[in-house]
Structure formats: C-alpha cells, structure tokens
Amino acid sequence: MNRKQRMTKRLSELSPRDLLVVGLPLLLLLAAGFWGAAQFIRPAPPDTLVLSSGGEGGAYQRFASAYKETLAHYGVRLIEKPSAGSLDNLQRLRDDGSGVDAGFFQAGTGQAGEGDALVSLGSFYHEPLWIFYRQGLGEPDRILQLKGRRIAIGGPGSGTHHLALEMLGANGLDAANTRLLEKGGLGLVEAFGKGEIDAAFVVGPTESATVWSLLFTPGVRLMSLAHADAYTRRLPHLSKIVLSRGAVDVVQDIPVRDVTLVASAATLLVREDMHPALIDLLLEAAIETHGGAGIFQKPGDFPRAMAVGFPLSGEAARYHKSGKPLLQRYLPFWAATLVDRMVVMLIPVIALLLPVFKFAPSIYTWRVRSRIYRRYGELKFIEAEVESDPSRHTQEEWLDKLDAIEADANRIPTPLAFADMLYTLKGHIGLVREAVLKRTTTTA
C-alpha cells in the first residue's frame, strides 16, 4: 500500500460528523482572525495623484513634468494643476475640497498651523532669490538702493511675492516710497526691454525659464547682496549661497563675478494621510530630478531629510534613511504593494492556524472518546446498584438495562482508530452482566 492509499484510508476512517463539529468552529475562528487582520490592511495605492505646481514657464511646472514621467513608469498618473505659486499651493492643500494631493512649497511662505494635516517630504533644492536690475543703475549691492524705483515683485499668491515683500520690508521699502508692480514670469524679459521696470525679484532655481532668460538678457544685471548674512539672521528660513563666476556659462563668462545670494528651500507638501507607496514614488522622482549636480549643489546633496515649515513625514524620514523599500527593489511596484498589504494576513496564520493544527486532533480524540466514556458512566451506575441492592429489579430487568447499553454502544459512530475502546467497552459490559447474573441468582 503506497503513501497515497494509506492517507486515503486514514481519512475514510474519520467521522464526517465529528470533523464537522470540531472543524467548523475552528474555521469560524480562523475566518474571524482573517477578518480582524483585514481591518488593518492598507488600501491599494490610488493610481492617480493631483499635484499643484506653479506659474507658466516656472520651475515648478518643469519639475512636475519630470515627476509625471517617473510616476508613469509605475502605473500612477500624475495630474498637474498650475497655480500662482507656493502660497496658492498651500491654500489648495488646506482646502479638502480642492482635490489636490501634493504641492510645491517654498520655505518661509507659511508654516504649520493648528489643525493642519500637512507634512513635508524634505528639502529638495535651493530656491534662490534673484534680484535683477536694469543696466544703468550703477552697481547696487543693497536693496535699499532700489528705493523709489519700479520693482516687479511677482504675482499675488506666489513665493516670490511673499519673499520680495519680506526683503523690501527689512529695508524699509513699501508701496509708499517705492513703486511695486505685481508682475512675474517670462513677461519680465519684455518689461525690461520696454523700460517698464527698473528691477525684478524672482525666486526659483536656474532651471526656471524666467531666471535663465533674464541671465542672458542684454542690459540686465544680477545684484550681489552685501547684506546676505544679515538677511539669514533676520529670516531664518533663508541661507547664504554664492553663484560663482562663469557658473552659468563659462564661455560667455556669466556671471562676470561671484554673486552672493540668499535662498530658501523648496519642498513638496502632501496630505498626512497620503498612501506611503505614493510618498515613496514622489521621493524617488525627487531623487531623479534633484539629486544630480547643479550650480549650487554637488551630486547627492538633495533631497535632504529636513523639515521645511511643516513636520517631516515619517515615511519620508524612513526613505531618506533607508532608501527604497526592500520589496520595491526586487519586485514591480504593483507586486511589492500587494505583498506589503498581504503580509498583515500572516498574523492570523501564525497566531491561530498553528494552535489549531496543534489542538484540533486532541479535540477530535476527546469528542470520540467522550461518547464511549458516557456509556462507561451508565455501566458503572448499574454495577453500583447491583452491588448495593440486587433485589431492586428482577434479573430480566437488570439484563435489559445492560442490553440497552450494549445496543447503544453498537450504534456509536466510532472510527477504526478507536475501535479497540469500543470492544473494550463491550467486554466490560459482559463482565457486569456476569456480575448481575451472579448477584441476582444468589439473592434469589
């Protein structure tokens, strides 16, 4: 007899009723365990993410396009919503009805408030403040020297507008003593050409189309801030950086000298309840987009695990420390997220299934034996009665009681593995029968 046949024979010896009575509660227990574990399974990551970017031609839009390509590789569709800038993005994120999941944010344009459910993904890159001025104003190196001039300070809702007002205010300049124009974007190039403005504040990296165009616009110069260190003390969200001579273009020698600037940090704000898998993808996109060498950074300088106006996301902190999750290094994104969710289901398997396998055979054995032991109790009771008062019943009545127990025992559904107990019971019934015959005969 081979192994398969032996297994089939053993299964055929089991009582289906006992298996049902023992197995059904255990299966229900396992089902309850799985249901409980399922309550803690994260939902699958959404396949769409809405990102609030920035103004037309700005760096935020360019970076959003780069993010879109990265996320598309993993089956996630990024929808970009242009905005006025950092302040507009923050307002959208605070509005639950806006449908925006993430937005670019410039440090210093806002901070976490009570009830805010927003977190930062770290510092992504330097966002310098560029102060361009019309050639012919001399060589100004202090903002105060622009007093009374026509200054473009960026559009309302933009990070440029916010920082420009901060810097001008630090120098005592406002709309009362200086003409402040709410202009920004690529239109500044034309405004300089037509002589409509004397200076312009622009916030953004060199990848910004506006910054790059103004750096190469004839008749437009870049201010080097003599008070850069002082500004970083007054406005802690700013840092001092230096644009080295020729860093923009060595051949054309742009700029023609080292230029001292101040810069804020740029980040991506997301809702606190964003799926961790999407945070991982956004950080991977950030590394691909901002992690290389640049005019103000070396490879690997960014992104950094640094809170920017808002608390650093816990998932982002883990990513900055350990990198891409282990499963995503070896599995496709969809498979990695599926396995990550299903790991929770191992809890009931470990906590319940192993004890079930351990105790189920014992419970089954106890159930089969209990039916036989119950007849032993009846048999013991008759034996005790006969010993104490044989005349209580006639001999035929005593024997009828024993016959009833024996007939009942013959109807017990007993698997072959427990047949020896049944035959032992029948033997004991015979012994009691002999005792009954002896006692009732002696009494008669």
Side-chain angles (χ1 to χ4, degrees):
M1 183 181 295
N2 59 33
R3 182 178 180 182
K4 182 177 181 181
Q5 291 173 330
R6 290 196 301 271
M7 182 64 70
T8 303
K9 182 180 179 182
R10 288 179 182 176
L11 291 175
S12 65
E13 294 173 356
L14 299 177
S15 168
R17 180 181 178 184
D18 290 331
L19 287 176
L20 182 63
V21 172
V22 174
L24 186 59
L26 295 178
L27 287 175
L28 291 176
L29 179 62
L30 279 177
F34 277 108
W35 180 85
Q39 306 310 304
F40 298 95
I41 294 180
R42 301 170 185 163
D47 58 2
T48 302
L49 186 148
V50 180
L51 173 65
S52 187
S53 57
E56 195 70 34
Y60 289 166
Q61 281 202 333
R62 178 175 177 179
F63 295 149
S65 297
Y67 289 8
K68 182 182 295 186
E69 292 182 9
T70 301
L71 267 62
H73 293 320
Y74 298 98
V76 177
R77 176 169 168 255
L78 186 146
I79 299 176
E80 180 209 344
K81 292 185 68 173
S83 72
S86 181
L87 287 171
D88 195 15
N89 294 343
L90 181 57
Q91 184 176 359
R92 287 178 177 179
L93 285 167
R94 283 173 169 164
D95 179 8
D96 294 333
S98 68
V100 172
D101 303 307
F104 286 103
F105 177 74
Q106 174 188 320
T109 56
Q111 59 183 0
E114 185 177 353
D116 269 341
L118 305 177
V119 290
S120 165
L121 299 189
S123 176
F124 281 12
Y125 58 90
H126 287 303
E127 206 160 27
L129 169 64
W130 311 80
I131 302 178
F132 295 98
Y133 61 92
R134 178 173 50 82
Q135 190 174 4
L137 296 183
E139 295 289 337
D141 60 1
R142 292 180 298 154
I143 294 176
L144 184 60
Q145 293 172 298
L146 299 177
K147 184 176 181 179
R149 301 290 182 177
R150 298 165 297 172
I151 305 175
I153 58 173
S158 66
T160 297
H161 188 274
H162 182 87
L163 182 56
L165 291 179
E166 277 189 323
M167 298 290 283
L168 291 168
N171 287 272
L173 304 186
D174 53 30
N177 53 34
T178 304
R179 189 176 175 186
L180 306 181
L181 308 174
E182 294 182 337
K183 291 184 177 181
L186 289 171
L188 295 177
V189 177
E190 184 179 357
F192 270 116
K194 292 181 178 180
E196 296 174 351
I197 57 176
D198 299 308
F201 285 67
V202 180
V203 175
T206 51
E207 290 87 348
S208 167
T210 301
V211 172
W212 197 257
S213 298
L214 288 173
L215 285 170
F216 287 90
T217 299
V220 176
R221 305 292 296 273
L222 179 62
M223 181 185 293
S224 181
L225 294 173
H227 294 155
D229 287 315
Y231 293 131
T232 61
R233 301 297 187 274
R234 292 175 63 95
L235 304 172
H237 58 271
L238 296 179
S239 59
K240 175 183 175 181
I241 58 175
V242 175
L243 178 65
S244 301
R245 177 176 180 174
V248 175
D249 192 313
V250 176
V251 176
Q252 299 186 50
D253 197 22
I254 300 175
V256 296
R257 67 189 189 285
D258 287 353
V259 178
T260 302
L261 306 172
V262 292
S264 59
T267 187
L268 203 62
L269 292 184
V270 301
R271 298 186 185 278
E272 196 172 25
D273 59 356
M274 174 175 279
H275 197 286
L278 291 184
I279 292 180
D280 292 340
L281 291 185
L282 286 173
L283 285 169
E284 184 171 344
I287 289 174
E288 292 183 10
T289 306
H290 312 295
I295 291 178
F296 299 108
Q297 67 191 58
K298 297 178 182 179
D301 281 352
F302 291 98
R304 298 174 184 170
M306 183 177 75
V308 181
F310 288 78
L312 183 65
S313 160
E315 182 64 21
R318 183 209 58 75
Y319 192 99
H320 284 296
K321 181 179 179 180
S322 307
K324 187 184 296 188
L326 181 64
L327 291 175
Q328 291 186 28
R329 298 176 192 176
Y330 303 102
L331 295 175
F333 176 71
W334 66 268
T337 54
L338 178 63
V339 172
D340 183 54
R341 294 166 59 221
M342 290 298 104
V343 163
V344 180
M345 300 304 292
L346 292 177
I347 297 175
V349 173
I350 297 173
L352 297 175
L353 199 56
L354 293 181
V356 163
F357 282 144
K358 181 178 180 181
F359 294 110
S362 301
I363 297 174
Y364 178 82
T365 300
W366 168 83
R367 177 171 174 78
V368 174
R369 289 181 174 178
S370 66
R371 289 196 293 266
I372 298 176
Y373 291 155
R374 193 179 306 122
R375 275 67 185 184
Y376 268 110
E378 297 171 2
L379 189 62
K380 183 67 176 176
F381 183 74
I382 291 176
E383 185 180 24
E385 281 189 324
V386 170
E387 289 293 331
S388 62
D389 186 9
S391 61
R392 179 179 299 182
H393 300 289
T394 64
Q395 186 179 74
E396 289 75 12
E397 289 175 339
W398 287 116
L399 294 177
D400 286 343
K401 289 180 177 290
L402 292 173
D403 290 341
I405 294 176
E406 186 172 20
D408 193 23
N410 288 330
R411 290 192 296 268
I412 296 176
T414 307
L416 293 178
F418 300 90
D420 58 334
M421 296 180 63
L422 183 61
Y423 286 112
T424 301
L425 172 61
K426 291 180 179 181
H428 290 162
I429 293 174
L431 292 175
V432 175
R433 185 180 283 113
E434 292 178 3
V436 167
L437 290 172
K438 182 179 179 180
R439 293 287 292 166
T440 56
T441 301
T442 302
T443 302

PDB file of all heavy atoms in Angstrom, residues 52-77:
ATOM      1  N   SER A  52      -0.288  70.265  -7.360  1.00  0.00           N
ATOM      2  CA  SER A  52      -0.383  71.691  -7.629  1.00  0.00           C
ATOM      3  C   SER A  52       1.030  72.210  -7.865  1.00  0.00           C
ATOM      4  O   SER A  52       1.895  72.103  -6.997  1.00  0.00           O
ATOM      5  CB  SER A  52      -1.033  72.403  -6.431  1.00  0.00           C
ATOM      6  OG  SER A  52      -1.286  73.753  -6.730  1.00  0.00           O
ATOM      7  N   SER A  53       1.276  72.779  -9.038  1.00  0.00           N
ATOM      8  CA  SER A  53       2.650  73.129  -9.428  1.00  0.00           C
ATOM      9  C   SER A  53       2.930  74.617  -9.254  1.00  0.00           C
ATOM     10  O   SER A  53       3.187  75.081  -8.146  1.00  0.00           O
ATOM     11  CB  SER A  53       2.904  72.681 -10.871  1.00  0.00           C
ATOM     12  OG  SER A  53       1.964  73.271 -11.760  1.00  0.00           O
ATOM     13  N   GLY A  54       2.892  75.382 -10.324  1.00  0.00           N
ATOM     14  CA  GLY A  54       3.233  76.799 -10.244  1.00  0.00           C
ATOM     15  C   GLY A  54       2.821  77.523 -11.506  1.00  0.00           C
ATOM     16  O   GLY A  54       2.014  77.029 -12.301  1.00  0.00           O
ATOM     17  N   GLY A  55       3.425  78.706 -11.702  1.00  0.00           N
ATOM     18  CA  GLY A  55       3.070  79.540 -12.838  1.00  0.00           C
ATOM     19  C   GLY A  55       3.652  79.047 -14.142  1.00  0.00           C
ATOM     20  O   GLY A  55       4.573  78.224 -14.181  1.00  0.00           O
ATOM     21  N   GLU A  56       3.118  79.560 -15.226  1.00  0.00           N
ATOM     22  CA  GLU A  56       3.546  79.181 -16.567  1.00  0.00           C
ATOM     23  C   GLU A  56       5.024  79.509 -16.768  1.00  0.00           C
ATOM     24  O   GLU A  56       5.482  80.608 -16.485  1.00  0.00           O
ATOM     25  CB  GLU A  56       2.700  79.940 -17.603  1.00  0.00           C
ATOM     26  CG  GLU A  56       2.797  79.383 -19.004  1.00  0.00           C
ATOM     27  CD  GLU A  56       2.130  78.032 -19.135  1.00  0.00           C
ATOM     28  OE1 GLU A  56       1.109  77.800 -18.461  1.00  0.00           O
ATOM     29  OE2 GLU A  56       2.652  77.207 -19.920  1.00  0.00           O
ATOM     30  N   GLY A  57       5.777  78.515 -17.237  1.00  0.00           N
ATOM     31  CA  GLY A  57       7.195  78.705 -17.509  1.00  0.00           C
ATOM     32  C   GLY A  57       8.084  78.620 -16.288  1.00  0.00           C
ATOM     33  O   GLY A  57       9.295  78.775 -16.393  1.00  0.00           O
ATOM     34  N   GLY A  58       7.509  78.356 -15.115  1.00  0.00           N
ATOM     35  CA  GLY A  58       8.301  78.278 -13.895  1.00  0.00           C
ATOM     36  C   GLY A  58       8.915  76.906 -13.688  1.00  0.00           C
ATOM     37  O   GLY A  58       8.577  75.924 -14.372  1.00  0.00           O
ATOM     38  N   ALA A  59       9.812  76.846 -12.712  1.00  0.00           N
ATOM     39  CA  ALA A  59      10.497  75.586 -12.420  1.00  0.00           C
ATOM     40  C   ALA A  59       9.538  74.537 -11.881  1.00  0.00           C
ATOM     41  O   ALA A  59       9.698  73.343 -12.135  1.00  0.00           O
ATOM     42  CB  ALA A  59      11.623  75.832 -11.420  1.00  0.00           C
ATOM     43  N   TYR A  60       8.529  74.986 -11.130  1.00  0.00           N
ATOM     44  CA  TYR A  60       7.586  74.026 -10.566  1.00  0.00           C
ATOM     45  C   TYR A  60       6.904  73.210 -11.664  1.00  0.00           C
ATOM     46  O   TYR A  60       6.703  72.006 -11.533  1.00  0.00           O
ATOM     47  CB  TYR A  60       6.529  74.734  -9.725  1.00  0.00           C
ATOM     48  CG  TYR A  60       7.025  75.297  -8.405  1.00  0.00           C
ATOM     49  CD1 TYR A  60       6.265  76.202  -7.682  1.00  0.00           C
ATOM     50  CD2 TYR A  60       8.252  74.911  -7.883  1.00  0.00           C
ATOM     51  CE1 TYR A  60       6.705  76.721  -6.473  1.00  0.00           C
ATOM     52  CE2 TYR A  60       8.705  75.419  -6.678  1.00  0.00           C
ATOM     53  CZ  TYR A  60       7.934  76.332  -5.976  1.00  0.00           C
ATOM     54  OH  TYR A  60       8.372  76.838  -4.773  1.00  0.00           O
ATOM     55  N   GLN A  61       6.537  73.865 -12.747  1.00  0.00           N
ATOM     56  CA  GLN A  61       5.902  73.152 -13.850  1.00  0.00           C
ATOM     57  C   GLN A  61       6.886  72.192 -14.517  1.00  0.00           C
ATOM     58  O   GLN A  61       6.520  71.076 -14.894  1.00  0.00           O
ATOM     59  CB  GLN A  61       5.349  74.138 -14.872  1.00  0.00           C
ATOM     60  CG  GLN A  61       4.027  74.768 -14.482  1.00  0.00           C
ATOM     61  CD  GLN A  61       3.274  75.296 -15.679  1.00  0.00           C
ATOM     62  OE1 GLN A  61       3.854  75.657 -16.703  1.00  0.00           O
ATOM     63  NE2 GLN A  61       1.946  75.360 -15.558  1.00  0.00           N
ATOM     64  N   ARG A  62       8.123  72.629 -14.649  1.00  0.00           N
ATOM     65  CA  ARG A  62       9.126  71.754 -15.265  1.00  0.00           C
ATOM     66  C   ARG A  62       9.355  70.518 -14.402  1.00  0.00           C
ATOM     67  O   ARG A  62       9.443  69.396 -14.915  1.00  0.00           O
ATOM     68  CB  ARG A  62      10.431  72.523 -15.438  1.00  0.00           C
ATOM     69  CG  ARG A  62      11.552  71.686 -16.024  1.00  0.00           C
ATOM     70  CD  ARG A  62      12.781  72.510 -16.291  1.00  0.00           C
ATOM     71  NE  ARG A  62      13.867  71.683 -16.789  1.00  0.00           N
ATOM     72  CZ  ARG A  62      15.060  72.145 -17.132  1.00  0.00           C
ATOM     73  NH1 ARG A  62      15.314  73.437 -17.052  1.00  0.00           N
ATOM     74  NH2 ARG A  62      15.991  71.333 -17.560  1.00  0.00           N
ATOM     75  N   PHE A  63       9.458  70.706 -13.108  1.00  0.00           N
ATOM     76  CA  PHE A  63       9.672  69.563 -12.214  1.00  0.00           C
ATOM     77  C   PHE A  63       8.450  68.649 -12.181  1.00  0.00           C
ATOM     78  O   PHE A  63       8.581  67.429 -12.086  1.00  0.00           O
ATOM     79  CB  PHE A  63      10.003  70.056 -10.811  1.00  0.00           C
ATOM     80  CG  PHE A  63      11.301  70.806 -10.721  1.00  0.00           C
ATOM     81  CD1 PHE A  63      11.475  71.834  -9.791  1.00  0.00           C
ATOM     82  CD2 PHE A  63      12.358  70.496 -11.568  1.00  0.00           C
ATOM     83  CE1 PHE A  63      12.676  72.519  -9.715  1.00  0.00           C
ATOM     84  CE2 PHE A  63      13.571  71.192 -11.487  1.00  0.00           C
ATOM     85  CZ  PHE A  63      13.715  72.210 -10.562  1.00  0.00           C
ATOM     86  N   ALA A  64       7.255  69.234 -12.265  1.00  0.00           N
ATOM     87  CA  ALA A  64       6.040  68.422 -12.280  1.00  0.00           C
ATOM     88  C   ALA A  64       6.032  67.498 -13.499  1.00  0.00           C
ATOM     89  O   ALA A  64       5.614  66.336 -13.405  1.00  0.00           O
ATOM     90  CB  ALA A  64       4.803  69.317 -12.280  1.00  0.00           C
ATOM     91  N   SER A  65       6.513  67.991 -14.640  1.00  0.00           N
ATOM     92  CA  SER A  65       6.587  67.153 -15.839  1.00  0.00           C
ATOM     93  C   SER A  65       7.558  65.993 -15.648  1.00  0.00           C
ATOM     94  O   SER A  65       7.304  64.868 -16.092  1.00  0.00           O
ATOM     95  CB  SER A  65       7.020  68.000 -17.043  1.00  0.00           C
ATOM     96  OG  SER A  65       6.074  69.002 -17.321  1.00  0.00           O
ATOM     97  N   ALA A  66       8.686  66.277 -14.961  1.00  0.00           N
ATOM     98  CA  ALA A  66       9.658  65.212 -14.695  1.00  0.00           C
ATOM     99  C   ALA A  66       9.065  64.167 -13.745  1.00  0.00           C
ATOM    100  O   ALA A  66       9.244  62.955 -13.933  1.00  0.00           O
ATOM    101  CB  ALA A  66      10.937  65.803 -14.100  1.00  0.00           C
ATOM    102  N   TYR A  67       8.349  64.636 -12.735  1.00  0.00           N
ATOM    103  CA  TYR A  67       7.702  63.704 -11.802  1.00  0.00           C
ATOM    104  C   TYR A  67       6.679  62.836 -12.531  1.00  0.00           C
ATOM    105  O   TYR A  67       6.527  61.647 -12.245  1.00  0.00           O
ATOM    106  CB  TYR A  67       6.990  64.466 -10.680  1.00  0.00           C
ATOM    107  CG  TYR A  67       7.884  65.147  -9.677  1.00  0.00           C
ATOM    108  CD1 TYR A  67       9.265  65.213  -9.864  1.00  0.00           C
ATOM    109  CD2 TYR A  67       7.371  65.738  -8.535  1.00  0.00           C
ATOM    110  CE1 TYR A  67      10.078  65.840  -8.938  1.00  0.00           C
ATOM    111  CE2 TYR A  67       8.166  66.366  -7.603  1.00  0.00           C
ATOM    112  CZ  TYR A  67       9.535  66.424  -7.816  1.00  0.00           C
ATOM    113  OH  TYR A  67      10.333  67.043  -6.897  1.00  0.00           O
ATOM    114  N   LYS A  68       5.962  63.459 -13.449  1.00  0.00           N
ATOM    115  CA  LYS A  68       4.919  62.734 -14.181  1.00  0.00           C
ATOM    116  C   LYS A  68       5.516  61.548 -14.941  1.00  0.00           C
ATOM    117  O   LYS A  68       4.947  60.454 -14.953  1.00  0.00           O
ATOM    118  CB  LYS A  68       4.218  63.682 -15.153  1.00  0.00           C
ATOM    119  CG  LYS A  68       3.082  63.033 -15.938  1.00  0.00           C
ATOM    120  CD  LYS A  68       2.459  64.003 -16.926  1.00  0.00           C
ATOM    121  CE  LYS A  68       1.778  65.153 -16.234  1.00  0.00           C
ATOM    122  NZ  LYS A  68       1.049  66.035 -17.193  1.00  0.00           N
ATOM    123  N   GLU A  69       6.676  61.742 -15.564  1.00  0.00           N
ATOM    124  CA  GLU A  69       7.316  60.657 -16.304  1.00  0.00           C
ATOM    125  C   GLU A  69       7.738  59.525 -15.370  1.00  0.00           C
ATOM    126  O   GLU A  69       7.560  58.349 -15.680  1.00  0.00           O
ATOM    127  CB  GLU A  69       8.533  61.191 -17.065  1.00  0.00           C
ATOM    128  CG  GLU A  69       8.182  62.146 -18.195  1.00  0.00           C
ATOM    129  CD  GLU A  69       9.423  62.612 -18.940  1.00  0.00           C
ATOM    130  OE1 GLU A  69      10.522  62.050 -18.686  1.00  0.00           O
ATOM    131  OE2 GLU A  69       9.301  63.537 -19.764  1.00  0.00           O
ATOM    132  N   THR A  70       8.297  59.883 -14.212  1.00  0.00           N
ATOM    133  CA  THR A  70       8.735  58.855 -13.263  1.00  0.00           C
ATOM    134  C   THR A  70       7.553  58.046 -12.745  1.00  0.00           C
ATOM    135  O   THR A  70       7.600  56.810 -12.704  1.00  0.00           O
ATOM    136  CB  THR A  70       9.476  59.506 -12.080  1.00  0.00           C
ATOM    137  OG1 THR A  70      10.612  60.235 -12.568  1.00  0.00           O
ATOM    138  CG2 THR A  70       9.952  58.445 -11.099  1.00  0.00           C
ATOM    139  N   LEU A  71       6.492  58.724 -12.337  1.00  0.00           N
ATOM    140  CA  LEU A  71       5.336  58.020 -11.783  1.00  0.00           C
ATOM    141  C   LEU A  71       4.637  57.171 -12.834  1.00  0.00           C
ATOM    142  O   LEU A  71       4.053  56.130 -12.507  1.00  0.00           O
ATOM    143  CB  LEU A  71       4.353  59.017 -11.168  1.00  0.00           C
ATOM    144  CG  LEU A  71       4.525  59.290  -9.667  1.00  0.00           C
ATOM    145  CD1 LEU A  71       5.886  59.903  -9.370  1.00  0.00           C
ATOM    146  CD2 LEU A  71       3.423  60.208  -9.140  1.00  0.00           C
ATOM    147  N   ALA A  72       4.701  57.619 -14.096  1.00  0.00           N
ATOM    148  CA  ALA A  72       4.058  56.849 -15.164  1.00  0.00           C
ATOM    149  C   ALA A  72       4.694  55.473 -15.323  1.00  0.00           C
ATOM    150  O   ALA A  72       4.033  54.512 -15.716  1.00  0.00           O
ATOM    151  CB  ALA A  72       4.127  57.623 -16.473  1.00  0.00           C
ATOM    152  N   HIS A  73       6.001  55.358 -15.017  1.00  0.00           N
ATOM    153  CA  HIS A  73       6.680  54.058 -15.107  1.00  0.00           C
ATOM    154  C   HIS A  73       6.070  53.051 -14.138  1.00  0.00           C
ATOM    155  O   HIS A  73       6.190  51.839 -14.341  1.00  0.00           O
ATOM    156  CB  HIS A  73       8.174  54.218 -14.797  1.00  0.00           C
ATOM    157  CG  HIS A  73       8.912  55.007 -15.838  1.00  0.00           C
ATOM    158  ND1 HIS A  73       8.666  54.877 -17.185  1.00  0.00           N
ATOM    159  CD2 HIS A  73       9.906  55.934 -15.738  1.00  0.00           C
ATOM    160  CE1 HIS A  73       9.454  55.697 -17.867  1.00  0.00           C
ATOM    161  NE2 HIS A  73      10.216  56.353 -17.006  1.00  0.00           N
ATOM    162  N   TYR A  74       5.449  53.536 -13.082  1.00  0.00           N
ATOM    163  CA  TYR A  74       4.884  52.651 -12.063  1.00  0.00           C
ATOM    164  C   TYR A  74       3.362  52.580 -12.144  1.00  0.00           C
ATOM    165  O   TYR A  74       2.707  52.098 -11.220  1.00  0.00           O
ATOM    166  CB  TYR A  74       5.302  53.132 -10.673  1.00  0.00           C
ATOM    167  CG  TYR A  74       6.793  53.112 -10.462  1.00  0.00           C
ATOM    168  CD1 TYR A  74       7.547  54.273 -10.623  1.00  0.00           C
ATOM    169  CD2 TYR A  74       7.453  51.941 -10.125  1.00  0.00           C
ATOM    170  CE1 TYR A  74       8.930  54.260 -10.445  1.00  0.00           C
ATOM    171  CE2 TYR A  74       8.819  51.920  -9.939  1.00  0.00           C
ATOM    172  CZ  TYR A  74       9.552  53.075 -10.104  1.00  0.00           C
ATOM    173  OH  TYR A  74      10.919  53.062  -9.933  1.00  0.00           O
ATOM    174  N   GLY A  75       2.817  53.071 -13.231  1.00  0.00           N
ATOM    175  CA  GLY A  75       1.374  52.973 -13.426  1.00  0.00           C
ATOM    176  C   GLY A  75       0.566  53.993 -12.668  1.00  0.00           C
ATOM    177  O   GLY A  75      -0.641  53.825 -12.492  1.00  0.00           O
ATOM    178  N   VAL A  76       1.209  55.066 -12.195  1.00  0.00           N
ATOM    179  CA  VAL A  76       0.497  56.123 -11.466  1.00  0.00           C
ATOM    180  C   VAL A  76       0.427  57.366 -12.349  1.00  0.00           C
ATOM    181  O   VAL A  76       1.451  57.842 -12.847  1.00  0.00           O
ATOM    182  CB  VAL A  76       1.191  56.460 -10.134  1.00  0.00           C
ATOM    183  CG1 VAL A  76       0.473  57.603  -9.420  1.00  0.00           C
ATOM    184  CG2 VAL A  76       1.241  55.231  -9.229  1.00  0.00           C
ATOM    185  N   ARG A  77      -0.771  57.868 -12.532  1.00  0.00           N
ATOM    186  CA  ARG A  77      -0.987  59.041 -13.391  1.00  0.00           C
ATOM    187  C   ARG A  77      -0.942  60.305 -12.550  1.00  0.00           C
ATOM    188  O   ARG A  77      -1.687  60.444 -11.580  1.00  0.00           O
ATOM    189  CB  ARG A  77      -2.341  58.904 -14.091  1.00  0.00           C
ATOM    190  CG  ARG A  77      -2.740  60.104 -14.938  1.00  0.00           C
ATOM    191  CD  ARG A  77      -3.958  59.743 -15.784  1.00  0.00           C
ATOM    192  NE  ARG A  77      -4.539  60.918 -16.391  1.00  0.00           N
ATOM    193  CZ  ARG A  77      -5.662  61.500 -15.987  1.00  0.00           C
ATOM    194  NH1 ARG A  77      -6.326  60.982 -14.961  1.00  0.00           N
ATOM    195  NH2 ARG A  77      -6.141  62.564 -16.600  1.00  0.00           N
TER     196      ARG A  77
END
